[in-house]
Amino acid sequence: EIVLTQSPATLSLSPGERATLSCRASQNINNYLAWYQQTPGQAPRLLIYDASNRATGIPARFSGSGSGTDFTLTISSLEPEDFALYFCQHRYNWPLTFGGGTKVESK
Amino acid sequence: EVQLLDSGGGLEQPGGSLRLSCAASGFTLTGYDMTWVRQAPGKGPEWVSAISRDGDGTTYADSVKGRFTISRDNSLKTLYLQMNSLRDEDTAVYYCARSQGNWYFDLWGRGTLVSVSS
């Protein structure tokens, strides 16, 4: 099973600041990684797929990069609605797994 | 409106059974592979099971293999998860989600809570 490790666990930032979230895979997963956003009481929302492709309707301030084992989600300038939980997920093989999450909170 | 409506959760004793349903609205279910993902309180999501768009292919997480069965009825536009021999550790919010064939999930249900406790 591929383990996805996200860091940091919590990121305290102010609106307008840049957020950089990390996801590290326990083995090479090529670019088969997605990022999701989850707000309290809601289902996850797909942001990025195949490491760097924005999903439909996702604002350009969200970008993804990386390949192999190291991946990054960047939010260029935080909006109030961006304070949420973020998870990564791979699709390299079965079982699919998710990371433990990074909480982006308002400082 | 394009949405998934998951239902069927509740409180059940260890060893009991529940069947979850997920109704598709606003789109054709046959065009999508489907999955169940669960999330225990305060934890990250955990993939549970997946089924191909025609229902012929299924796969399960080791933690539920032999106890849970995923199925679908495309004519009724509904996905199911039969959960037997429930354990305390199955307690979670269960989400159904769709994939356009790449096993990323672009639409999720709102979730249904399964609580297993004596």
Side-chain angles (χ1 to χ4, degrees), chain A residues 31-34 36 38 42-44 46 49-50 87 89 91 94-96 98-99, chain B residues 35 37 39 43-47 50 59 61 95 102-106 108-110:
Chain A
N31 67 332
Y32 296 148
L33 189 94
Y36 298 85
Q38 187 177 33
Q42 301 298 313
L46 178 65
Y49 65 94
D50 284 344
F87 297 102
Q89 174 236 325
R91 70 169 184 98
W94 303 102
L96 309 179
F98 292 80
Chain B
T35 200
V37 173
Q39 189 170 25
K43 303 287 189 180
E46 178 190 10
W47 171 77
T59 186
Y95 298 97
N102 58 11
W103 297 113
Y104 301 126
F105 307 110
D106 68 339
W108 296 62
R110 298 188 68 171

Side-chain angles (χ1 to χ4, degrees), chain A residues 18-99:
Chain A
R18 182 184 191 89
T20 304
L21 289 66
S22 174
C23 177
R24 176 163 290 176
S26 59
Q27 68 178 73
N28 175 36
I29 58 170
N30 295 333
N31 67 332
Y32 296 148
L33 189 94
W35 290 93
Y36 298 85
Q37 177 193 65
Q38 187 177 33
T39 52
Q42 301 298 313
R45 176 174 73 140
L46 178 65
L47 299 175
I48 301 287
Y49 65 94
D50 284 344
S52 61
N53 297 293
R54 271 190 302 276
T56 302
I58 301 304
R61 64 181 181 273
F62 291 92
S63 64
S65 63
S67 66
T69 60
D70 291 304
F71 301 86
T72 300
L73 173 69
T74 301
I75 311 170
S76 59
S77 178
L78 283 164
E79 298 287 339
E81 61 268 28
D82 299 337
F83 293 97
L85 273 170
Y86 293 84
F87 297 102
C88 53
Q89 174 236 325
H90 83 83
R91 70 169 184 98
Y92 183 80
N93 60 8
W94 303 102
L96 309 179
T97 58
F98 292 80

